[in-house]
Amino acid sequence: MASSAASPPRAVMPTYMIYGTAWKKERTAELVYQAIKAGFRAIDTAHIKKHYDEAGAGEGIRRAVAEGLVKRTDLWIQTKFTLGDDAFADTARYPTLTSQVDASIAESLRNLCTPDREPAYIDCLILHSPLPSLVDFVEVWFAMVSHYKSGAVRTLGVSNVDLKDLVSQFSGAFRVAVVQNRFSRGLDKEHRWDEAVRSWCHDQGVAYQGFWTLTANSDVWGNGGATDPEQCVAALAERAKISPATAWYVLLFKMGVVVLNGTSSEEHMRDDLAGLDTVKTSVPPSIMQEFVADCSKLTHTSWR
């Protein structure tokens, strides 16, 4: 690909919340538009039709741009390359992994383009999951890097990885800016709250994005239990007069987790985004620090 003639300003990835579009199907365009209208400035999608409607995400973005709600340069838009996507099942047309990466990114650029910014670009391209062999990984990663060098992709990331993947593949020459993983309590000490990966991200200066933060943790934020961190979530919600779910989001932000929020409720979109400002204005910093300390089990230094 040819280099972009005029490189647009770099959007900054929000450190609090990103709107997630997985499983939104035919509602994707409308929900993305509503999310931007509510104040979201980052959208997460993927080029895999089984789980995402990337074209619908682009439609919602273009509607918001056309109505003057935002400019393209106001937004952080991230998508994913997925190995094994049915779109590339025709091996005669896509004989190599490189050809699959190239085709995936080309379609993502078409899906996510906006009329106010040409050529189109992607703020972050995420490798959706680890590859089965080192040879495959190197081919795919170099293909992704070529689009980074062209300016079509601004940053690179990886998803659904464990610490072994990160240490073996991303601690040397293959640098990433974003790691996106499922965030849950887990069943054992090693994987609880994805602590090992979050610790690696903290040490490497890599942004950590967490998905399924509500669904996988309803026993923590939803029941107002009497033990930490459940007690902390309930106490912050009561102090700031926000929902337990929003309090959970705010605490995750304080722990360094960028939350992927996939709510389909316009009210929740607004309330969740406003939650951080509400906490800042209603909870003194010293008290907020106590809440964070009470949730020390979620910090990157715990369970060592």
mmCIF file of all heavy atoms in Angstrom, residues 24-75:
data_model
loop_
_atom_site.group_PDB
_atom_site.id
_atom_site.type_symbol
_atom_site.label_atom_id
_atom_site.label_comp_id
_atom_site.label_asym_id
_atom_site.label_seq_id
_atom_site.Cartn_x
_atom_site.Cartn_y
_atom_site.Cartn_z
ATOM 1 N N LYS A 24 -23.999 -7.293 18.389
ATOM 2 C CA LYS A 24 -25.074 -6.312 18.230
ATOM 3 C C LYS A 24 -25.880 -6.548 16.942
ATOM 4 O O LYS A 24 -26.964 -6.005 16.771
ATOM 5 C CB LYS A 24 -24.502 -4.881 18.222
ATOM 6 C CG LYS A 24 -23.770 -4.507 19.488
ATOM 7 C CD LYS A 24 -24.679 -4.561 20.702
ATOM 8 C CE LYS A 24 -24.005 -4.013 21.949
ATOM 9 N NZ LYS A 24 -22.941 -4.897 22.474
ATOM 10 N N LYS A 25 -25.297 -7.298 16.006
ATOM 11 C CA LYS A 25 -25.971 -7.718 14.779
ATOM 12 C C LYS A 25 -26.634 -6.543 14.062
ATOM 13 O O LYS A 25 -25.993 -5.529 13.802
ATOM 14 C CB LYS A 25 -26.951 -8.851 15.095
ATOM 15 C CG LYS A 25 -26.243 -10.075 15.664
ATOM 16 C CD LYS A 25 -27.184 -11.234 15.910
ATOM 17 C CE LYS A 25 -26.414 -12.433 16.455
ATOM 18 N NZ LYS A 25 -27.303 -13.605 16.692
ATOM 19 N N GLU A 26 -27.929 -6.687 13.729
ATOM 20 C CA GLU A 26 -28.590 -5.666 12.917
ATOM 21 C C GLU A 26 -28.795 -4.348 13.675
ATOM 22 O O GLU A 26 -29.127 -3.332 13.071
ATOM 23 C CB GLU A 26 -29.938 -6.176 12.397
ATOM 24 C CG GLU A 26 -31.008 -6.388 13.449
ATOM 25 C CD GLU A 26 -30.867 -7.717 14.187
ATOM 26 O OE1 GLU A 26 -29.994 -8.518 13.799
ATOM 27 O OE2 GLU A 26 -31.639 -7.947 15.142
ATOM 28 N N ARG A 27 -28.573 -4.335 14.964
ATOM 29 C CA ARG A 27 -28.710 -3.102 15.755
ATOM 30 C C ARG A 27 -27.413 -2.298 15.816
ATOM 31 O O ARG A 27 -27.383 -1.205 16.385
ATOM 32 C CB ARG A 27 -29.151 -3.444 17.183
ATOM 33 C CG ARG A 27 -30.487 -4.143 17.293
ATOM 34 C CD ARG A 27 -30.905 -4.292 18.739
ATOM 35 N NE ARG A 27 -31.128 -2.997 19.366
ATOM 36 C CZ ARG A 27 -31.192 -2.802 20.689
ATOM 37 N NH1 ARG A 27 -31.019 -3.823 21.520
ATOM 38 N NH2 ARG A 27 -31.397 -1.597 21.187
ATOM 39 N N THR A 28 -26.354 -2.823 15.231
ATOM 40 C CA THR A 28 -25.031 -2.219 15.395
ATOM 41 C C THR A 28 -25.002 -0.752 14.985
ATOM 42 O O THR A 28 -24.511 0.108 15.728
ATOM 43 C CB THR A 28 -23.976 -3.002 14.601
ATOM 44 O OG1 THR A 28 -23.939 -4.358 15.077
ATOM 45 C CG2 THR A 28 -22.604 -2.369 14.755
ATOM 46 N N ALA A 29 -25.486 -0.438 13.785
ATOM 47 C CA ALA A 29 -25.399 0.938 13.287
ATOM 48 C C ALA A 29 -26.101 1.910 14.229
ATOM 49 O O ALA A 29 -25.545 2.967 14.577
ATOM 50 C CB ALA A 29 -25.989 1.026 11.880
ATOM 51 N N GLU A 30 -27.311 1.588 14.625
ATOM 52 C CA GLU A 30 -28.072 2.480 15.501
ATOM 53 C C GLU A 30 -27.398 2.623 16.863
ATOM 54 O O GLU A 30 -27.309 3.730 17.418
ATOM 55 C CB GLU A 30 -29.491 1.955 15.679
ATOM 56 C CG GLU A 30 -30.372 2.773 16.627
ATOM 57 C CD GLU A 30 -30.621 4.197 16.149
ATOM 58 O OE1 GLU A 30 -30.517 4.452 14.926
ATOM 59 O OE2 GLU A 30 -30.929 5.052 16.995
ATOM 60 N N LEU A 31 -26.898 1.514 17.412
ATOM 61 C CA LEU A 31 -26.285 1.575 18.739
ATOM 62 C C LEU A 31 -24.966 2.347 18.712
ATOM 63 O O LEU A 31 -24.654 3.083 19.655
ATOM 64 C CB LEU A 31 -26.072 0.161 19.283
ATOM 65 C CG LEU A 31 -27.355 -0.558 19.707
ATOM 66 C CD1 LEU A 31 -27.061 -2.020 20.036
ATOM 67 C CD2 LEU A 31 -28.002 0.133 20.909
ATOM 68 N N VAL A 32 -24.188 2.198 17.653
ATOM 69 C CA VAL A 32 -22.949 2.964 17.544
ATOM 70 C C VAL A 32 -23.266 4.459 17.449
ATOM 71 O O VAL A 32 -22.626 5.295 18.104
ATOM 72 C CB VAL A 32 -22.115 2.499 16.337
ATOM 73 C CG1 VAL A 32 -21.014 3.500 16.003
ATOM 74 C CG2 VAL A 32 -21.510 1.131 16.612
ATOM 75 N N TYR A 33 -24.259 4.795 16.657
ATOM 76 C CA TYR A 33 -24.680 6.196 16.556
ATOM 77 C C TYR A 33 -25.122 6.722 17.922
ATOM 78 O O TYR A 33 -24.716 7.818 18.341
ATOM 79 C CB TYR A 33 -25.819 6.321 15.551
ATOM 80 C CG TYR A 33 -26.513 7.656 15.586
ATOM 81 C CD1 TYR A 33 -25.935 8.788 15.007
ATOM 82 C CD2 TYR A 33 -27.752 7.799 16.212
ATOM 83 C CE1 TYR A 33 -26.578 10.014 15.061
ATOM 84 C CE2 TYR A 33 -28.397 9.021 16.264
ATOM 85 C CZ TYR A 33 -27.803 10.127 15.685
ATOM 86 O OH TYR A 33 -28.429 11.341 15.747
ATOM 87 N N GLN A 34 -25.938 5.944 18.636
ATOM 88 C CA GLN A 34 -26.411 6.376 19.953
ATOM 89 C C GLN A 34 -25.259 6.491 20.941
ATOM 90 O O GLN A 34 -25.241 7.395 21.787
ATOM 91 C CB GLN A 34 -27.463 5.388 20.484
ATOM 92 C CG GLN A 34 -28.763 5.369 19.701
ATOM 93 C CD GLN A 34 -29.517 6.698 19.755
ATOM 94 O OE1 GLN A 34 -29.278 7.531 20.633
ATOM 95 N NE2 GLN A 34 -30.449 6.880 18.820
ATOM 96 N N ALA A 35 -24.287 5.589 20.835
ATOM 97 C CA ALA A 35 -23.142 5.643 21.741
ATOM 98 C C ALA A 35 -22.339 6.923 21.524
ATOM 99 O O ALA A 35 -21.944 7.594 22.488
ATOM 100 C CB ALA A 35 -22.252 4.416 21.530
ATOM 101 N N ILE A 36 -22.114 7.278 20.268
ATOM 102 C CA ILE A 36 -21.386 8.522 19.974
ATOM 103 C C ILE A 36 -22.197 9.721 20.444
ATOM 104 O O ILE A 36 -21.659 10.666 21.035
ATOM 105 C CB ILE A 36 -21.065 8.604 18.473
ATOM 106 C CG1 ILE A 36 -20.077 7.507 18.080
ATOM 107 C CG2 ILE A 36 -20.494 9.983 18.126
ATOM 108 C CD1 ILE A 36 -19.825 7.404 16.589
ATOM 109 N N LYS A 37 -23.496 9.677 20.204
ATOM 110 C CA LYS A 37 -24.376 10.771 20.643
ATOM 111 C C LYS A 37 -24.339 10.924 22.161
ATOM 112 O O LYS A 37 -24.401 12.044 22.699
ATOM 113 C CB LYS A 37 -25.801 10.507 20.165
ATOM 114 C CG LYS A 37 -26.765 11.662 20.369
ATOM 115 C CD LYS A 37 -28.114 11.352 19.746
ATOM 116 C CE LYS A 37 -29.085 12.506 19.911
ATOM 117 N NZ LYS A 37 -30.412 12.199 19.305
ATOM 118 N N ALA A 38 -24.212 9.775 22.866
ATOM 119 C CA ALA A 38 -24.169 9.809 24.330
ATOM 120 C C ALA A 38 -22.832 10.293 24.861
ATOM 121 O O ALA A 38 -22.729 10.666 26.037
ATOM 122 C CB ALA A 38 -24.458 8.413 24.882
ATOM 123 N N GLY A 39 -21.800 10.289 24.017
ATOM 124 C CA GLY A 39 -20.508 10.796 24.449
ATOM 125 C C GLY A 39 -19.331 9.861 24.260
ATOM 126 O O GLY A 39 -18.183 10.250 24.531
ATOM 127 N N PHE A 40 -19.568 8.638 23.808
ATOM 128 C CA PHE A 40 -18.446 7.740 23.539
ATOM 129 C C PHE A 40 -17.611 8.302 22.397
ATOM 130 O O PHE A 40 -18.142 8.786 21.393
ATOM 131 C CB PHE A 40 -18.945 6.346 23.159
ATOM 132 C CG PHE A 40 -19.324 5.478 24.328
ATOM 133 C CD1 PHE A 40 -20.613 5.524 24.841
ATOM 134 C CD2 PHE A 40 -18.401 4.624 24.905
ATOM 135 C CE1 PHE A 40 -20.978 4.722 25.918
ATOM 136 C CE2 PHE A 40 -18.752 3.824 25.982
ATOM 137 C CZ PHE A 40 -20.042 3.872 26.492
ATOM 138 N N ARG A 41 -16.297 8.182 22.546
ATOM 139 C CA ARG A 41 -15.391 8.640 21.493
ATOM 140 C C ARG A 41 -14.440 7.536 21.049
ATOM 141 O O ARG A 41 -13.436 7.795 20.395
ATOM 142 C CB ARG A 41 -14.601 9.860 21.964
ATOM 143 C CG ARG A 41 -15.479 11.101 22.169
ATOM 144 C CD ARG A 41 -16.138 11.544 20.868
ATOM 145 N NE ARG A 41 -17.025 12.702 21.016
ATOM 146 C CZ ARG A 41 -18.337 12.612 21.135
ATOM 147 N NH1 ARG A 41 -18.940 11.413 21.155
ATOM 148 N NH2 ARG A 41 -19.081 13.683 21.244
ATOM 149 N N ALA A 42 -14.776 6.312 21.393
ATOM 150 C CA ALA A 42 -13.988 5.160 20.950
ATOM 151 C C ALA A 42 -14.942 4.009 20.656
ATOM 152 O O ALA A 42 -15.879 3.749 21.428
ATOM 153 C CB ALA A 42 -12.972 4.751 22.004
ATOM 154 N N ILE A 43 -14.710 3.331 19.527
ATOM 155 C CA ILE A 43 -15.567 2.238 19.081
ATOM 156 C C ILE A 43 -14.695 1.015 18.809
ATOM 157 O O ILE A 43 -13.668 1.114 18.123
ATOM 158 C CB ILE A 43 -16.332 2.603 17.788
ATOM 159 C CG1 ILE A 43 -17.120 3.906 17.983
ATOM 160 C CG2 ILE A 43 -17.231 1.460 17.353
ATOM 161 C CD1 ILE A 43 -18.230 3.831 19.005
ATOM 162 N N ASP A 44 -15.117 -0.134 19.322
ATOM 163 C CA ASP A 44 -14.418 -1.395 19.083
ATOM 164 C C ASP A 44 -15.263 -2.296 18.197
ATOM 165 O O ASP A 44 -16.448 -2.514 18.476
ATOM 166 C CB ASP A 44 -14.159 -2.109 20.417
ATOM 167 C CG ASP A 44 -13.532 -3.490 20.232
ATOM 168 O OD1 ASP A 44 -12.297 -3.562 20.105
ATOM 169 O OD2 ASP A 44 -14.285 -4.485 20.194
ATOM 170 N N THR A 45 -14.675 -2.821 17.130
ATOM 171 C CA THR A 45 -15.364 -3.751 16.249
ATOM 172 C C THR A 45 -14.355 -4.789 15.763
ATOM 173 O O THR A 45 -13.237 -4.869 16.284
ATOM 174 C CB THR A 45 -16.049 -3.003 15.079
ATOM 175 O OG1 THR A 45 -16.790 -3.940 14.295
ATOM 176 C CG2 THR A 45 -15.041 -2.283 14.214
ATOM 177 N N ALA A 46 -14.736 -5.599 14.773
ATOM 178 C CA ALA A 46 -13.827 -6.604 14.229
ATOM 179 C C ALA A 46 -14.320 -7.038 12.868
ATOM 180 O O ALA A 46 -15.523 -6.995 12.576
ATOM 181 C CB ALA A 46 -13.722 -7.815 15.158
ATOM 182 N N HIS A 47 -13.379 -7.483 12.030
ATOM 183 C CA HIS A 47 -13.734 -7.998 10.709
ATOM 184 C C HIS A 47 -13.973 -9.497 10.824
ATOM 185 O O HIS A 47 -13.140 -10.313 10.445
ATOM 186 C CB HIS A 47 -12.627 -7.699 9.701
ATOM 187 C CG HIS A 47 -13.012 -8.062 8.292
ATOM 188 N ND1 HIS A 47 -12.899 -9.335 7.803
ATOM 189 C CD2 HIS A 47 -13.536 -7.316 7.290
ATOM 190 C CE1 HIS A 47 -13.323 -9.364 6.540
ATOM 191 N NE2 HIS A 47 -13.717 -8.146 6.214
ATOM 192 N N ILE A 48 -15.098 -9.871 11.415
ATOM 193 C CA ILE A 48 -15.535 -11.261 11.469
ATOM 194 C C ILE A 48 -17.048 -11.240 11.642
ATOM 195 O O ILE A 48 -17.567 -10.864 12.697
ATOM 196 C CB ILE A 48 -14.841 -12.062 12.586
ATOM 197 C CG1 ILE A 48 -15.393 -13.487 12.637
ATOM 198 C CG2 ILE A 48 -14.905 -11.360 13.927
ATOM 199 C CD1 ILE A 48 -14.618 -14.433 13.516
ATOM 200 N N LYS A 49 -17.764 -11.619 10.596
ATOM 201 C CA LYS A 49 -19.206 -11.418 10.562
ATOM 202 C C LYS A 49 -19.963 -12.298 11.547
ATOM 203 O O LYS A 49 -21.114 -12.015 11.879
ATOM 204 C CB LYS A 49 -19.712 -11.634 9.137
ATOM 205 C CG LYS A 49 -19.215 -10.560 8.176
ATOM 206 C CD LYS A 49 -19.731 -10.760 6.762
ATOM 207 C CE LYS A 49 -19.204 -9.671 5.845
ATOM 208 N NZ LYS A 49 -19.655 -9.838 4.445
ATOM 209 N N LYS A 50 -19.332 -13.357 12.028
ATOM 210 C CA LYS A 50 -20.004 -14.243 12.979
ATOM 211 C C LYS A 50 -20.309 -13.519 14.278
ATOM 212 O O LYS A 50 -21.325 -13.785 14.936
ATOM 213 C CB LYS A 50 -19.126 -15.462 13.249
ATOM 214 C CG LYS A 50 -19.746 -16.483 14.195
ATOM 215 C CD LYS A 50 -18.831 -17.688 14.361
ATOM 216 C CE LYS A 50 -19.453 -18.712 15.306
ATOM 217 N NZ LYS A 50 -18.563 -19.889 15.486
ATOM 218 N N HIS A 51 -19.442 -12.604 14.683
ATOM 219 C CA HIS A 51 -19.588 -11.941 15.980
ATOM 220 C C HIS A 51 -19.806 -10.432 15.895
ATOM 221 O O HIS A 51 -20.264 -9.829 16.868
ATOM 222 C CB HIS A 51 -18.347 -12.194 16.835
ATOM 223 C CG HIS A 51 -18.004 -13.636 17.011
ATOM 224 N ND1 HIS A 51 -18.897 -14.563 17.503
ATOM 225 C CD2 HIS A 51 -16.865 -14.324 16.734
ATOM 226 C CE1 HIS A 51 -18.322 -15.750 17.539
ATOM 227 N NE2 HIS A 51 -17.088 -15.637 17.073
ATOM 228 N N TYR A 52 -19.464 -9.816 14.750
ATOM 229 C CA TYR A 52 -19.518 -8.358 14.633
ATOM 230 C C TYR A 52 -20.141 -7.957 13.303
ATOM 231 O O TYR A 52 -20.068 -8.697 12.320
ATOM 232 C CB TYR A 52 -18.106 -7.760 14.687
ATOM 233 C CG TYR A 52 -17.388 -7.899 15.999
ATOM 234 C CD1 TYR A 52 -16.707 -9.075 16.319
ATOM 235 C CD2 TYR A 52 -17.352 -6.851 16.915
ATOM 236 C CE1 TYR A 52 -16.018 -9.205 17.521
ATOM 237 C CE2 TYR A 52 -16.660 -6.971 18.110
ATOM 238 C CZ TYR A 52 -16.003 -8.151 18.412
ATOM 239 O OH TYR A 52 -15.324 -8.269 19.591
ATOM 240 N N ASP A 53 -20.704 -6.763 13.276
ATOM 241 C CA ASP A 53 -21.138 -6.132 12.033
ATOM 242 C C ASP A 53 -20.282 -4.884 11.840
ATOM 243 O O ASP A 53 -20.675 -3.785 12.214
ATOM 244 C CB ASP A 53 -22.626 -5.793 12.095
ATOM 245 C CG ASP A 53 -23.143 -5.163 10.802
ATOM 246 O OD1 ASP A 53 -22.333 -4.977 9.868
ATOM 247 O OD2 ASP A 53 -24.345 -4.841 10.744
ATOM 248 N N GLU A 54 -19.090 -5.078 11.293
ATOM 249 C CA GLU A 54 -18.162 -3.963 11.121
ATOM 250 C C GLU A 54 -18.732 -2.904 10.190
ATOM 251 O O GLU A 54 -18.575 -1.699 10.433
ATOM 252 C CB GLU A 54 -16.831 -4.492 10.578
ATOM 253 C CG GLU A 54 -15.727 -3.446 10.512
ATOM 254 C CD GLU A 54 -14.472 -4.008 9.881
ATOM 255 O OE1 GLU A 54 -14.511 -4.344 8.659
ATOM 256 O OE2 GLU A 54 -13.458 -4.121 10.583
ATOM 257 N N ALA A 55 -19.416 -3.349 9.135
ATOM 258 C CA ALA A 55 -20.040 -2.390 8.212
ATOM 259 C C ALA A 55 -21.090 -1.559 8.933
ATOM 260 O O ALA A 55 -21.220 -0.351 8.690
ATOM 261 C CB ALA A 55 -20.645 -3.127 7.022
ATOM 262 N N GLY A 56 -21.854 -2.184 9.814
ATOM 263 C CA GLY A 56 -22.847 -1.455 10.595
ATOM 264 C C GLY A 56 -22.206 -0.438 11.521
ATOM 265 O O GLY A 56 -22.717 0.674 11.695
ATOM 266 N N ALA A 57 -21.071 -0.804 12.111
ATOM 267 C CA ALA A 57 -20.351 0.158 12.956
ATOM 268 C C ALA A 57 -19.948 1.381 12.145
ATOM 269 O O ALA A 57 -20.109 2.522 12.591
ATOM 270 C CB ALA A 57 -19.119 -0.511 13.564
ATOM 271 N N GLY A 58 -19.449 1.141 10.936
ATOM 272 C CA GLY A 58 -19.084 2.257 10.069
ATOM 273 C C GLY A 58 -20.281 3.118 9.702
ATOM 274 O O GLY A 58 -20.178 4.353 9.638
ATOM 275 N N GLU A 59 -21.412 2.482 9.469
ATOM 276 C CA GLU A 59 -22.631 3.231 9.133
ATOM 277 C C GLU A 59 -23.017 4.158 10.287
ATOM 278 O O GLU A 59 -23.383 5.330 10.072
ATOM 279 C CB GLU A 59 -23.761 2.249 8.839
ATOM 280 C CG GLU A 59 -25.062 2.906 8.450
ATOM 281 C CD GLU A 59 -26.182 1.890 8.230
ATOM 282 O OE1 GLU A 59 -25.866 0.706 7.971
ATOM 283 O OE2 GLU A 59 -27.369 2.281 8.327
ATOM 284 N N GLY A 60 -22.949 3.645 11.517
ATOM 285 C CA GLY A 60 -23.280 4.476 12.670
ATOM 286 C C GLY A 60 -22.308 5.632 12.842
ATOM 287 O O GLY A 60 -22.700 6.756 13.179
ATOM 288 N N ILE A 61 -21.021 5.365 12.608
ATOM 289 C CA ILE A 61 -20.005 6.416 12.695
ATOM 290 C C ILE A 61 -20.258 7.500 11.652
ATOM 291 O O ILE A 61 -20.231 8.697 11.955
ATOM 292 C CB ILE A 61 -18.600 5.806 12.524
ATOM 293 C CG1 ILE A 61 -18.254 4.933 13.739
ATOM 294 C CG2 ILE A 61 -17.557 6.901 12.320
ATOM 295 C CD1 ILE A 61 -17.043 4.044 13.531
ATOM 296 N N ARG A 62 -20.531 7.082 10.409
ATOM 297 C CA ARG A 62 -20.751 8.066 9.342
ATOM 298 C C ARG A 62 -21.998 8.906 9.610
ATOM 299 O O ARG A 62 -22.021 10.107 9.303
ATOM 300 C CB ARG A 62 -20.850 7.355 7.987
ATOM 301 C CG ARG A 62 -19.492 6.895 7.453
ATOM 302 C CD ARG A 62 -19.597 6.364 6.040
ATOM 303 N NE ARG A 62 -20.340 5.109 5.977
ATOM 304 C CZ ARG A 62 -19.800 3.911 6.206
ATOM 305 N NH1 ARG A 62 -18.512 3.803 6.526
ATOM 306 N NH2 ARG A 62 -20.524 2.813 6.123
ATOM 307 N N ARG A 63 -23.009 8.318 10.184
ATOM 308 C CA ARG A 63 -24.207 9.088 10.517
ATOM 309 C C ARG A 63 -23.879 10.177 11.538
ATOM 310 O O ARG A 63 -24.304 11.335 11.396
ATOM 311 C CB ARG A 63 -25.300 8.165 11.065
ATOM 312 C CG ARG A 63 -26.577 8.894 11.455
ATOM 313 C CD ARG A 63 -27.593 7.928 12.036
ATOM 314 N NE ARG A 63 -28.736 8.644 12.602
ATOM 315 C CZ ARG A 63 -29.705 8.064 13.321
ATOM 316 N NH1 ARG A 63 -29.668 6.753 13.544
ATOM 317 N NH2 ARG A 63 -30.686 8.791 13.807
ATOM 318 N N ALA A 64 -23.096 9.803 12.547
ATOM 319 C CA ALA A 64 -22.721 10.782 13.572
ATOM 320 C C ALA A 64 -21.863 11.897 12.980
ATOM 321 O O ALA A 64 -22.027 13.077 13.321
ATOM 322 C CB ALA A 64 -21.972 10.085 14.708
ATOM 323 N N VAL A 65 -20.964 11.543 12.062
ATOM 324 C CA VAL A 65 -20.126 12.553 11.404
ATOM 325 C C VAL A 65 -20.981 13.457 10.520
ATOM 326 O O VAL A 65 -20.829 14.686 10.529
ATOM 327 C CB VAL A 65 -19.011 11.872 10.583
ATOM 328 C CG1 VAL A 65 -18.293 12.888 9.692
ATOM 329 C CG2 VAL A 65 -18.016 11.170 11.502
ATOM 330 N N ALA A 66 -21.902 12.846 9.762
ATOM 331 C CA ALA A 66 -22.751 13.622 8.852
ATOM 332 C C ALA A 66 -23.621 14.618 9.609
ATOM 333 O O ALA A 66 -23.900 15.717 9.105
ATOM 334 C CB ALA A 66 -23.623 12.680 8.024
ATOM 335 N N GLU A 67 -24.030 14.264 10.826
ATOM 336 C CA GLU A 67 -24.875 15.154 11.617
ATOM 337 C C GLU A 67 -24.068 16.181 12.408
ATOM 338 O O GLU A 67 -24.644 16.995 13.138
ATOM 339 C CB GLU A 67 -25.755 14.335 12.558
ATOM 340 C CG GLU A 67 -26.806 13.499 11.825
ATOM 341 C CD GLU A 67 -27.757 12.783 12.771
ATOM 342 O OE1 GLU A 67 -27.706 13.064 13.993
ATOM 343 O OE2 GLU A 67 -28.546 11.956 12.286
ATOM 344 N N GLY A 68 -22.755 16.115 12.282
ATOM 345 C CA GLY A 68 -21.911 17.092 12.963
ATOM 346 C C GLY A 68 -21.677 16.807 14.432
ATOM 347 O O GLY A 68 -21.184 17.685 15.158
ATOM 348 N N LEU A 69 -22.010 15.604 14.898
ATOM 349 C CA LEU A 69 -21.772 15.272 16.303
ATOM 350 C C LEU A 69 -20.279 15.161 16.598
ATOM 351 O O LEU A 69 -19.826 15.523 17.695
ATOM 352 C CB LEU A 69 -22.465 13.946 16.655
ATOM 353 C CG LEU A 69 -23.984 13.895 16.506
ATOM 354 C CD1 LEU A 69 -24.507 12.507 16.866
ATOM 355 C CD2 LEU A 69 -24.637 14.953 17.399
ATOM 356 N N VAL A 70 -19.532 14.632 15.645
ATOM 357 C CA VAL A 70 -18.090 14.463 15.792
ATOM 358 C C VAL A 70 -17.429 14.599 14.432
ATOM 359 O O VAL A 70 -18.089 14.536 13.388
ATOM 360 C CB VAL A 70 -17.732 13.068 16.366
ATOM 361 C CG1 VAL A 70 -18.138 12.931 17.817
ATOM 362 C CG2 VAL A 70 -18.343 11.952 15.516
ATOM 363 N N LYS A 71 -16.116 14.745 14.454
ATOM 364 C CA LYS A 71 -15.286 14.585 13.266
ATOM 365 C C LYS A 71 -14.549 13.259 13.399
ATOM 366 O O LYS A 71 -14.409 12.731 14.503
ATOM 367 C CB LYS A 71 -14.294 15.741 13.131
ATOM 368 C CG LYS A 71 -14.927 17.115 13.017
ATOM 369 C CD LYS A 71 -13.890 18.178 12.725
ATOM 370 C CE LYS A 71 -12.896 18.351 13.869
ATOM 371 N NZ LYS A 71 -13.504 18.930 15.067
ATOM 372 N N ARG A 72 -14.074 12.744 12.268
ATOM 373 C CA ARG A 72 -13.337 11.473 12.340
ATOM 374 C C ARG A 72 -12.162 11.580 13.294
ATOM 375 O O ARG A 72 -11.865 10.624 14.042
ATOM 376 C CB ARG A 72 -12.860 11.069 10.926
ATOM 377 C CG ARG A 72 -11.891 9.871 10.912
ATOM 378 C CD ARG A 72 -12.552 8.614 11.442
ATOM 379 N NE ARG A 72 -11.637 7.481 11.472
ATOM 380 C CZ ARG A 72 -10.884 7.153 12.507
ATOM 381 N NH1 ARG A 72 -10.899 7.917 13.605
ATOM 382 N NH2 ARG A 72 -10.107 6.071 12.467
ATOM 383 N N THR A 73 -11.496 12.700 13.302
ATOM 384 C CA THR A 73 -10.321 12.854 14.148
ATOM 385 C C THR A 73 -10.651 12.943 15.633
ATOM 386 O O THR A 73 -9.749 12.929 16.473
ATOM 387 C CB THR A 73 -9.510 14.095 13.726
ATOM 388 O OG1 THR A 73 -10.388 15.229 13.652
ATOM 389 C CG2 THR A 73 -8.851 13.863 12.371
ATOM 390 N N ASP A 74 -11.947 13.035 15.977
ATOM 391 C CA ASP A 74 -12.357 13.000 17.382
ATOM 392 C C ASP A 74 -12.439 11.570 17.908
ATOM 393 O O ASP A 74 -12.548 11.372 19.126
ATOM 394 C CB ASP A 74 -13.747 13.631 17.552
ATOM 395 C CG ASP A 74 -13.780 15.099 17.209
ATOM 396 O OD1 ASP A 74 -12.750 15.776 17.408
ATOM 397 O OD2 ASP A 74 -14.831 15.568 16.725
ATOM 398 N N LEU A 75 -12.430 10.599 17.005
ATOM 399 C CA LEU A 75 -12.750 9.224 17.357
ATOM 400 C C LEU A 75 -11.531 8.309 17.345
ATOM 401 O O LEU A 75 -10.625 8.462 16.522
ATOM 402 C CB LEU A 75 -13.790 8.655 16.382
ATOM 403 C CG LEU A 75 -15.129 9.379 16.314
ATOM 404 C CD1 LEU A 75 -15.985 8.771 15.211
ATOM 405 C CD2 LEU A 75 -15.859 9.297 17.654
#
